[in-house]
Amino acid sequence: MNPIAMALLLLVSFGVFGVTASRRWRLMQTGGATAEDRATPIAERLKRVWTFGIYQKKMRKYPAAGIAHQLIFLGFIVL
């Protein structure tokens, strides 16, 4: 491939990456920092991790996709 074409492709790729990265950065900055203490209700947090993270309770709302997701998740747990 022509070196000039390669350089142009590289510059375009860097430009697309820069635009995408800046959009994501701005999106991350919109939330702002909060001063909440996340360590206090540890029992409630562990319950939610079990319910939504391990047990995958929300996936039961979507019949076909939810079952497929749970089976894939179960496969990763087994591995």
Side-chain angles (χ1 to χ4, degrees):
M1 189 176 216
N2 187 354
I4 295 182
M6 291 282 287
L8 184 62
L9 182 64
L10 188 63
L11 286 174
V12 169
S13 298
F14 282 148
V16 170
F17 172 77
V19 169
T20 305
S22 70
R23 284 182 184 168
R24 290 179 188 256
W25 181 257
R26 279 184 281 152
L27 186 61
M28 286 185 350
Q29 296 302 312
T30 58
T34 60
E36 75 179 84
D37 185 16
R38 295 177 181 242
T40 34
I42 192 73
E44 177 65 27
R45 292 179 63 82
L46 289 175
K47 180 181 170 190
R48 286 177 157 246
V49 165
W50 170 256
T51 303
F52 299 113
I54 308 296
Y55 183 64
Q56 301 283 311
K57 183 177 180 180
K58 283 189 178 183
M59 288 297 121
R60 295 187 185 353
K61 293 180 184 178
Y62 314 103
I67 290 171
H69 178 87
Q70 286 178 325
L71 289 174
I72 292 170
F73 183 73
L74 180 65
F76 278 115
I77 294 294
V78 168
L79 287 176

